PDB file of all heavy atoms in Angstrom:
ATOM      1  N   GLN A1080     123.536  33.110 -36.330  1.00 97.00           N
ATOM      2  CA  GLN A1080     123.592  34.476 -36.851  1.00 97.00           C
ATOM      3  C   GLN A1080     124.480  35.378 -36.002  1.00 97.00           C
ATOM      4  O   GLN A1080     125.400  36.015 -36.497  1.00 97.00           O
ATOM      5  CB  GLN A1080     122.178  35.054 -36.924  1.00 97.00           C
ATOM      6  CG  GLN A1080     122.016  36.216 -37.868  1.00 97.00           C
ATOM      7  CD  GLN A1080     122.538  37.543 -37.341  1.00 97.00           C
ATOM      8  OE1 GLN A1080     122.631  37.772 -36.145  1.00 97.00           O
ATOM      9  NE2 GLN A1080     122.898  38.435 -38.250  1.00 97.00           N
ATOM     10  N   LYS A1081     124.205  35.437 -34.725  1.00 96.00           N
ATOM     11  CA  LYS A1081     124.995  36.265 -33.819  1.00 96.00           C
ATOM     12  C   LYS A1081     126.275  35.556 -33.404  1.00 96.00           C
ATOM     13  O   LYS A1081     127.325  36.175 -33.248  1.00 96.00           O
ATOM     14  CB  LYS A1081     124.148  36.600 -32.589  1.00 96.00           C
ATOM     15  CG  LYS A1081     124.809  37.544 -31.600  1.00 96.00           C
ATOM     16  CD  LYS A1081     125.058  38.908 -32.192  1.00 96.00           C
ATOM     17  CE  LYS A1081     125.512  39.902 -31.119  1.00 96.00           C
ATOM     18  NZ  LYS A1081     126.006  41.155 -31.729  1.00 96.00           N
ATOM     19  N   GLY A1082     126.184  34.232 -33.237  1.00 97.00           N
ATOM     20  CA  GLY A1082     127.328  33.474 -32.760  1.00 97.00           C
ATOM     21  C   GLY A1082     128.421  33.283 -33.782  1.00 97.00           C
ATOM     22  O   GLY A1082     129.546  32.903 -33.408  1.00 97.00           O
ATOM     23  N   ALA A1083     128.159  33.519 -35.069  1.00 97.00           N
ATOM     24  CA  ALA A1083     129.199  33.329 -36.087  1.00 97.00           C
ATOM     25  C   ALA A1083     130.445  34.142 -35.767  1.00 97.00           C
ATOM     26  O   ALA A1083     131.573  33.696 -36.004  1.00 97.00           O
ATOM     27  CB  ALA A1083     128.650  33.697 -37.465  1.00 97.00           C
ATOM     28  N   HIS A1084     130.254  35.362 -35.221  1.00 96.00           N
ATOM     29  CA  HIS A1084     131.391  36.169 -34.784  1.00 96.00           C
ATOM     30  C   HIS A1084     132.248  35.407 -33.784  1.00 96.00           C
ATOM     31  O   HIS A1084     133.460  35.260 -33.948  1.00 96.00           O
ATOM     32  CB  HIS A1084     130.885  37.444 -34.086  1.00 96.00           C
ATOM     33  CG  HIS A1084     130.644  38.599 -34.988  1.00 96.00           C
ATOM     34  ND1 HIS A1084     131.528  38.997 -35.977  1.00 96.00           N
ATOM     35  CD2 HIS A1084     129.627  39.491 -35.027  1.00 96.00           C
ATOM     36  CE1 HIS A1084     131.054  40.069 -36.582  1.00 96.00           C
ATOM     37  NE2 HIS A1084     129.904  40.387 -36.032  1.00 96.00           N
ATOM     38  N   ASP A1085     131.611  34.961 -32.700  1.00 98.00           N
ATOM     39  CA  ASP A1085     132.343  34.373 -31.591  1.00 98.00           C
ATOM     40  C   ASP A1085     132.920  33.008 -31.947  1.00 98.00           C
ATOM     41  O   ASP A1085     134.018  32.657 -31.502  1.00 98.00           O
ATOM     42  CB  ASP A1085     131.429  34.256 -30.374  1.00 98.00           C
ATOM     43  CG  ASP A1085     130.954  35.620 -29.894  1.00 98.00           C
ATOM     44  OD1 ASP A1085     131.806  36.480 -29.633  1.00 98.00           O
ATOM     45  OD2 ASP A1085     129.730  35.819 -29.798  1.00 98.00           O
ATOM     46  N   LEU A1086     132.193  32.235 -32.726  1.00 98.00           N
ATOM     47  CA  LEU A1086     132.707  30.939 -33.153  1.00 98.00           C
ATOM     48  C   LEU A1086     133.946  31.122 -34.013  1.00 98.00           C
ATOM     49  O   LEU A1086     134.933  30.383 -33.869  1.00 98.00           O
ATOM     50  CB  LEU A1086     131.620  30.168 -33.908  1.00 98.00           C
ATOM     51  CG  LEU A1086     130.411  29.772 -33.052  1.00 98.00           C
ATOM     52  CD1 LEU A1086     129.279  29.253 -33.925  1.00 98.00           C
ATOM     53  CD2 LEU A1086     130.797  28.737 -32.008  1.00 98.00           C
ATOM     54  N   ASP A1087     133.935  32.125 -34.889  1.00 98.00           N
ATOM     55  CA  ASP A1087     135.114  32.405 -35.704  1.00 98.00           C
ATOM     56  C   ASP A1087     136.287  32.829 -34.823  1.00 98.00           C
ATOM     57  O   ASP A1087     137.423  32.401 -35.034  1.00 98.00           O
ATOM     58  CB  ASP A1087     134.796  33.486 -36.740  1.00 98.00           C
ATOM     59  CG  ASP A1087     136.003  33.813 -37.609  1.00 98.00           C
ATOM     60  OD1 ASP A1087     136.498  32.898 -38.302  1.00 98.00           O
ATOM     61  OD2 ASP A1087     136.461  34.970 -37.591  1.00 98.00           O
ATOM     62  N   VAL A1088     136.025  33.684 -33.835  1.00 98.00           N
ATOM     63  CA  VAL A1088     137.096  34.130 -32.944  1.00 98.00           C
ATOM     64  C   VAL A1088     137.682  32.957 -32.164  1.00 98.00           C
ATOM     65  O   VAL A1088     138.910  32.797 -32.069  1.00 98.00           O
ATOM     66  CB  VAL A1088     136.584  35.224 -31.979  1.00 98.00           C
ATOM     67  CG1 VAL A1088     137.588  35.467 -30.850  1.00 98.00           C
ATOM     68  CG2 VAL A1088     136.326  36.520 -32.733  1.00 98.00           C
ATOM     69  N   MET A1089     136.819  32.107 -31.601  1.00 98.00           N
ATOM     70  CA  MET A1089     137.328  30.971 -30.832  1.00 98.00           C
ATOM     71  C   MET A1089     138.120  30.022 -31.717  1.00 98.00           C
ATOM     72  O   MET A1089     139.176  29.506 -31.309  1.00 98.00           O
ATOM     73  CB  MET A1089     136.177  30.258 -30.129  1.00 98.00           C
ATOM     74  CG  MET A1089     135.592  31.061 -28.982  1.00 98.00           C
ATOM     75  SD  MET A1089     134.461  30.116 -27.924  1.00 98.00           S
ATOM     76  CE  MET A1089     133.063  29.935 -29.022  1.00 98.00           C
ATOM     77  N   HIS A1090     137.648  29.775 -32.925  1.00 98.00           N
ATOM     78  CA  HIS A1090     138.417  28.950 -33.855  1.00 98.00           C
ATOM     79  C   HIS A1090     139.792  29.577 -34.128  1.00 98.00           C
ATOM     80  O   HIS A1090     140.807  28.873 -34.172  1.00 98.00           O
ATOM     81  CB  HIS A1090     137.657  28.798 -35.179  1.00 98.00           C
ATOM     82  CG  HIS A1090     136.466  27.905 -35.105  1.00 98.00           C
ATOM     83  ND1 HIS A1090     135.489  27.890 -36.081  1.00 98.00           N
ATOM     84  CD2 HIS A1090     136.073  26.984 -34.185  1.00 98.00           C
ATOM     85  CE1 HIS A1090     134.568  27.005 -35.774  1.00 98.00           C
ATOM     86  NE2 HIS A1090     134.896  26.445 -34.620  1.00 98.00           N
ATOM     87  N   TRP A1091     139.810  30.894 -34.320  1.00 98.00           N
ATOM     88  CA  TRP A1091     141.048  31.618 -34.638  1.00 98.00           C
ATOM     89  C   TRP A1091     142.035  31.542 -33.476  1.00 98.00           C
ATOM     90  O   TRP A1091     143.228  31.273 -33.655  1.00 98.00           O
ATOM     91  CB  TRP A1091     140.709  33.071 -34.980  1.00 98.00           C
ATOM     92  CG  TRP A1091     141.755  33.816 -35.738  1.00 98.00           C
ATOM     93  CD1 TRP A1091     142.573  33.341 -36.723  1.00 98.00           C
ATOM     94  CD2 TRP A1091     142.068  35.208 -35.598  1.00 98.00           C
ATOM     95  NE1 TRP A1091     143.369  34.355 -37.209  1.00 98.00           N
ATOM     96  CE2 TRP A1091     143.077  35.497 -36.544  1.00 98.00           C
ATOM     97  CE3 TRP A1091     141.580  36.232 -34.793  1.00 98.00           C
ATOM     98  CZ2 TRP A1091     143.626  36.782 -36.679  1.00 98.00           C
ATOM     99  CZ3 TRP A1091     142.114  37.503 -34.936  1.00 98.00           C
ATOM    100  CH2 TRP A1091     143.127  37.781 -35.861  1.00 98.00           C
ATOM    101  N   LEU A1092     141.534  31.784 -32.270  1.00 98.00           N
ATOM    102  CA  LEU A1092     142.397  31.744 -31.096  1.00 98.00           C
ATOM    103  C   LEU A1092     142.895  30.330 -30.810  1.00 98.00           C
ATOM    104  O   LEU A1092     144.017  30.138 -30.318  1.00 98.00           O
ATOM    105  CB  LEU A1092     141.656  32.282 -29.868  1.00 98.00           C
ATOM    106  CG  LEU A1092     141.211  33.751 -29.915  1.00 98.00           C
ATOM    107  CD1 LEU A1092     140.496  34.126 -28.624  1.00 98.00           C
ATOM    108  CD2 LEU A1092     142.388  34.692 -30.172  1.00 98.00           C
ATOM    109  N   ALA A1093     142.082  29.330 -31.113  1.00 98.00           N
ATOM    110  CA  ALA A1093     142.433  27.946 -30.816  1.00 98.00           C
ATOM    111  C   ALA A1093     143.249  27.286 -31.916  1.00 98.00           C
ATOM    112  O   ALA A1093     143.889  26.255 -31.687  1.00 98.00           O
ATOM    113  CB  ALA A1093     141.165  27.131 -30.573  1.00 98.00           C
ATOM    114  N   GLY A1094     143.206  27.849 -33.122  1.00 98.00           N
ATOM    115  CA  GLY A1094     143.929  27.246 -34.235  1.00 98.00           C
ATOM    116  C   GLY A1094     143.297  25.982 -34.758  1.00 98.00           C
ATOM    117  O   GLY A1094     143.989  25.080 -35.250  1.00 98.00           O
ATOM    118  N   GLY A1095     141.968  25.883 -34.668  1.00 98.00           N
ATOM    119  CA  GLY A1095     141.279  24.698 -35.165  1.00 98.00           C
ATOM    120  C   GLY A1095     139.827  24.986 -35.453  1.00 98.00           C
ATOM    121  O   GLY A1095     139.344  26.106 -35.212  1.00 98.00           O
ATOM    122  N   PHE A1096     139.107  23.974 -35.958  1.00 98.00           N
ATOM    123  CA  PHE A1096     137.705  24.130 -36.314  1.00 98.00           C
ATOM    124  C   PHE A1096     136.867  23.057 -35.631  1.00 98.00           C
ATOM    125  O   PHE A1096     137.313  21.924 -35.425  1.00 98.00           O
ATOM    126  CB  PHE A1096     137.518  24.035 -37.824  1.00 98.00           C
ATOM    127  CG  PHE A1096     138.219  25.114 -38.603  1.00 98.00           C
ATOM    128  CD1 PHE A1096     139.132  24.789 -39.601  1.00 98.00           C
ATOM    129  CD2 PHE A1096     137.972  26.447 -38.344  1.00 98.00           C
ATOM    130  CE1 PHE A1096     139.779  25.784 -40.326  1.00 98.00           C
ATOM    131  CE2 PHE A1096     138.615  27.450 -39.059  1.00 98.00           C
ATOM    132  CZ  PHE A1096     139.523  27.117 -40.051  1.00 98.00           C
ATOM    133  N   SER A1097     135.622  23.407 -35.311  1.00 98.00           N
ATOM    134  CA  SER A1097     134.713  22.480 -34.629  1.00 98.00           C
ATOM    135  C   SER A1097     134.408  21.266 -35.501  1.00 98.00           C
ATOM    136  O   SER A1097     134.113  21.407 -36.693  1.00 98.00           O
ATOM    137  CB  SER A1097     133.391  23.178 -34.279  1.00 98.00           C
ATOM    138  OG  SER A1097     133.594  24.253 -33.381  1.00 98.00           O
ATOM    139  N   ARG A1098     134.442  20.081 -34.864  1.00 98.00           N
ATOM    140  CA  ARG A1098     134.109  18.854 -35.583  1.00 98.00           C
ATOM    141  C   ARG A1098     132.998  18.054 -34.897  1.00 98.00           C
ATOM    142  O   ARG A1098     132.416  17.168 -35.507  1.00 98.00           O
ATOM    143  CB  ARG A1098     135.350  17.995 -35.762  1.00 98.00           C
ATOM    144  CG  ARG A1098     136.312  18.558 -36.804  1.00 98.00           C
ATOM    145  CD  ARG A1098     135.709  18.506 -38.202  1.00 98.00           C
ATOM    146  NE  ARG A1098     136.479  19.254 -39.199  1.00 98.00           N
ATOM    147  CZ  ARG A1098     136.141  20.444 -39.662  1.00 98.00           C
ATOM    148  NH1 ARG A1098     135.038  21.037 -39.220  1.00 98.00           N
ATOM    149  NH2 ARG A1098     136.862  21.044 -40.569  1.00 98.00           N
ATOM    150  N   LYS A1099     132.712  18.326 -33.624  1.00 98.00           N
ATOM    151  CA  LYS A1099     131.593  17.693 -32.943  1.00 98.00           C
ATOM    152  C   LYS A1099     131.003  18.704 -31.971  1.00 98.00           C
ATOM    153  O   LYS A1099     131.751  19.363 -31.228  1.00 98.00           O
ATOM    154  CB  LYS A1099     132.014  16.440 -32.195  1.00 98.00           C
ATOM    155  CG  LYS A1099     130.850  15.701 -31.505  1.00 98.00           C
ATOM    156  CD  LYS A1099     131.317  14.497 -30.728  1.00 98.00           C
ATOM    157  CE  LYS A1099     131.714  13.361 -31.642  1.00 98.00           C
ATOM    158  NZ  LYS A1099     130.552  12.758 -32.360  1.00 98.00           N
ATOM    159  N   VAL A1100     129.672  18.848 -31.967  1.00 98.00           N
ATOM    160  CA  VAL A1100     129.014  19.810 -31.090  1.00 98.00           C
ATOM    161  C   VAL A1100     127.812  19.174 -30.402  1.00 98.00           C
ATOM    162  O   VAL A1100     127.197  18.237 -30.923  1.00 98.00           O
ATOM    163  CB  VAL A1100     128.550  21.077 -31.858  1.00 98.00           C
ATOM    164  CG1 VAL A1100     129.722  21.821 -32.456  1.00 98.00           C
ATOM    165  CG2 VAL A1100     127.534  20.724 -32.936  1.00 98.00           C
ATOM    166  N   VAL A1101     127.496  19.724 -29.243  1.00 98.00           N
ATOM    167  CA  VAL A1101     126.220  19.475 -28.576  1.00 98.00           C
ATOM    168  C   VAL A1101     125.728  20.817 -28.071  1.00 98.00           C
ATOM    169  O   VAL A1101     126.512  21.715 -27.765  1.00 98.00           O
ATOM    170  CB  VAL A1101     126.340  18.482 -27.395  1.00 98.00           C
ATOM    171  CG1 VAL A1101     126.754  17.117 -27.896  1.00 98.00           C
ATOM    172  CG2 VAL A1101     127.318  18.998 -26.344  1.00 98.00           C
ATOM    173  N   ALA A1102     124.417  20.987 -27.976  1.00 98.00           N
ATOM    174  CA  ALA A1102     123.888  22.287 -27.573  1.00 98.00           C
ATOM    175  C   ALA A1102     122.500  22.151 -26.982  1.00 98.00           C
ATOM    176  O   ALA A1102     121.756  21.205 -27.275  1.00 98.00           O
ATOM    177  CB  ALA A1102     123.848  23.241 -28.771  1.00 98.00           C
ATOM    178  N   LEU A1103     122.157  23.130 -26.151  1.00 98.00           N
ATOM    179  CA  LEU A1103     120.804  23.300 -25.632  1.00 98.00           C
ATOM    180  C   LEU A1103     120.438  24.766 -25.761  1.00 98.00           C
ATOM    181  O   LEU A1103     121.300  25.648 -25.736  1.00 98.00           O
ATOM    182  CB  LEU A1103     120.720  22.868 -24.166  1.00 98.00           C
ATOM    183  CG  LEU A1103     120.939  21.394 -23.857  1.00 98.00           C
ATOM    184  CD1 LEU A1103     120.969  21.173 -22.346  1.00 98.00           C
ATOM    185  CD2 LEU A1103     119.854  20.535 -24.494  1.00 98.00           C
ATOM    186  N   GLY A1104     119.143  25.044 -25.895  1.00 98.00           N
ATOM    187  CA  GLY A1104     118.693  26.427 -25.995  1.00 98.00           C
ATOM    188  C   GLY A1104     117.215  26.521 -25.681  1.00 98.00           C
ATOM    189  O   GLY A1104     116.520  25.517 -25.542  1.00 98.00           O
ATOM    190  N   ASP A1105     116.741  27.763 -25.578  1.00 98.00           N
ATOM    191  CA  ASP A1105     115.335  27.958 -25.236  1.00 98.00           C
ATOM    192  C   ASP A1105     114.889  29.346 -25.687  1.00 98.00           C
ATOM    193  O   ASP A1105     115.705  30.272 -25.802  1.00 98.00           O
ATOM    194  CB  ASP A1105     115.146  27.823 -23.726  1.00 98.00           C
ATOM    195  CG  ASP A1105     113.681  27.606 -23.325  1.00 98.00           C
ATOM    196  OD1 ASP A1105     112.853  27.390 -24.219  1.00 98.00           O
ATOM    197  OD2 ASP A1105     113.395  27.655 -22.120  1.00 98.00           O
ATOM    198  N   LEU A1106     113.597  29.486 -25.938  1.00 98.00           N
ATOM    199  CA  LEU A1106     112.971  30.798 -26.113  1.00 98.00           C
ATOM    200  C   LEU A1106     112.346  31.126 -24.764  1.00 98.00           C
ATOM    201  O   LEU A1106     111.177  30.855 -24.511  1.00 98.00           O
ATOM    202  CB  LEU A1106     111.932  30.740 -27.236  1.00 98.00           C
ATOM    203  CG  LEU A1106     111.179  32.033 -27.562  1.00 98.00           C
ATOM    204  CD1 LEU A1106     112.133  33.189 -27.843  1.00 98.00           C
ATOM    205  CD2 LEU A1106     110.251  31.824 -28.758  1.00 98.00           C
ATOM    206  N   ALA A1107     113.156  31.713 -23.882  1.00 98.00           N
ATOM    207  CA  ALA A1107     112.812  31.802 -22.466  1.00 98.00           C
ATOM    208  C   ALA A1107     112.057  33.067 -22.082  1.00 98.00           C
ATOM    209  O   ALA A1107     111.313  33.070 -21.098  1.00 98.00           O
ATOM    210  CB  ALA A1107     114.091  31.702 -21.614  1.00 98.00           C
ATOM    211  N   VAL A1108     112.237  34.154 -22.834  1.00 98.00           N
ATOM    212  CA  VAL A1108     111.665  35.447 -22.431  1.00 98.00           C
ATOM    213  C   VAL A1108     110.752  36.032 -23.497  1.00 98.00           C
ATOM    214  O   VAL A1108     109.588  36.356 -23.237  1.00 98.00           O
ATOM    215  CB  VAL A1108     112.780  36.450 -22.077  1.00 98.00           C
ATOM    216  CG1 VAL A1108     112.218  37.852 -21.860  1.00 98.00           C
ATOM    217  CG2 VAL A1108     113.527  35.986 -20.827  1.00 98.00           C
ATOM    218  N   TYR A1109     111.249  36.179 -24.715  1.00 98.00           N
ATOM    219  CA  TYR A1109     110.508  36.947 -25.717  1.00 98.00           C
ATOM    220  C   TYR A1109     109.338  36.186 -26.329  1.00 98.00           C
ATOM    221  O   TYR A1109     108.419  36.804 -26.874  1.00 98.00           O
ATOM    222  CB  TYR A1109     111.473  37.436 -26.809  1.00 98.00           C
ATOM    223  CG  TYR A1109     112.541  38.352 -26.267  1.00 98.00           C
ATOM    224  CD1 TYR A1109     113.877  37.974 -26.266  1.00 98.00           C
ATOM    225  CD2 TYR A1109     112.205  39.582 -25.710  1.00 98.00           C
ATOM    226  CE1 TYR A1109     114.859  38.808 -25.746  1.00 98.00           C
ATOM    227  CE2 TYR A1109     113.174  40.413 -25.185  1.00 98.00           C
ATOM    228  CZ  TYR A1109     114.491  40.017 -25.204  1.00 98.00           C
ATOM    229  OH  TYR A1109     115.457  40.847 -24.671  1.00 98.00           O
ATOM    230  N   GLY A1110     109.347  34.871 -26.227  1.00 97.00           N
ATOM    231  CA  GLY A1110     108.260  34.105 -26.822  1.00 97.00           C
ATOM    232  C   GLY A1110     106.913  34.344 -26.184  1.00 97.00           C
ATOM    233  O   GLY A1110     105.874  34.247 -26.851  1.00 97.00           O
ATOM    234  N   SER A1111     106.902  34.680 -24.910  1.00 97.00           N
ATOM    235  CA  SER A1111     105.628  34.881 -24.204  1.00 97.00           C
ATOM    236  C   SER A1111     105.097  36.305 -24.339  1.00 97.00           C
ATOM    237  O   SER A1111     103.995  36.605 -23.874  1.00 97.00           O
ATOM    238  CB  SER A1111     105.799  34.542 -22.726  1.00 97.00           C
ATOM    239  OG  SER A1111     106.784  35.374 -22.126  1.00 97.00           O
ATOM    240  N   ASN A1112     105.860  37.186 -24.963  1.00 97.00           N
ATOM    241  CA  ASN A1112     105.434  38.572 -25.162  1.00 97.00           C
ATOM    242  C   ASN A1112     104.503  38.625 -26.375  1.00 97.00           C
ATOM    243  O   ASN A1112     104.901  38.334 -27.498  1.00 97.00           O
ATOM    244  CB  ASN A1112     106.659  39.463 -25.375  1.00 97.00           C
ATOM    245  CG  ASN A1112     106.333  40.942 -25.391  1.00 97.00           C
ATOM    246  OD1 ASN A1112     105.270  41.355 -25.843  1.00 97.00           O
ATOM    247  ND2 ASN A1112     107.255  41.759 -24.910  1.00 97.00           N
ATOM    248  N   THR A1113     103.259  39.019 -26.153  1.00 97.00           N
ATOM    249  CA  THR A1113     102.261  39.017 -27.233  1.00 97.00           C
ATOM    250  C   THR A1113     102.086  40.375 -27.905  1.00 97.00           C
ATOM    251  O   THR A1113     101.243  40.520 -28.796  1.00 97.00           O
ATOM    252  CB  THR A1113     100.901  38.561 -26.682  1.00 97.00           C
ATOM    253  OG1 THR A1113     100.499  39.445 -25.625  1.00 97.00           O
ATOM    254  CG2 THR A1113     100.985  37.139 -26.149  1.00 97.00           C
ATOM    255  N   ASP A1114     102.881  41.359 -27.516  1.00 98.00           N
ATOM    256  CA  ASP A1114     102.798  42.682 -28.139  1.00 98.00           C
ATOM    257  C   ASP A1114     103.625  42.643 -29.424  1.00 98.00           C
ATOM    258  O   ASP A1114     104.848  42.748 -29.396  1.00 98.00           O
ATOM    259  CB  ASP A1114     103.330  43.748 -27.177  1.00 98.00           C
ATOM    260  CG  ASP A1114     102.958  45.168 -27.608  1.00 98.00           C
ATOM    261  OD1 ASP A1114     102.985  45.438 -28.822  1.00 98.00           O
ATOM    262  OD2 ASP A1114     102.650  45.992 -26.731  1.00 98.00           O
TER     263      ASP A1114
END
């Protein structure tokens, strides 16, 4: 959702499109907030 901007920009600057990806992520801060 948020990264679509940056992925489009990087594709534009590089003159190509992603064909293989790897990724890691986490819900590191907001998940433990119970309010």
Side-chain angles (χ1 to χ4, degrees):
Q1080 201 283 335
K1081 184 64 171 169
H1084 271 315
D1085 298 305
L1086 294 169
D1087 180 61
V1088 167
M1089 289 192 289
H1090 287 164
W1091 199 37
L1092 297 180
F1096 297 124
S1097 298
R1098 287 293 169 257
K1099 182 182 287 291
V1100 298
V1101 296
L1103 294 174
D1105 197 9
L1106 180 54
V1108 171
Y1109 298 114
S1111 60
N1112 188 326
T1113 59
D1114 194 321

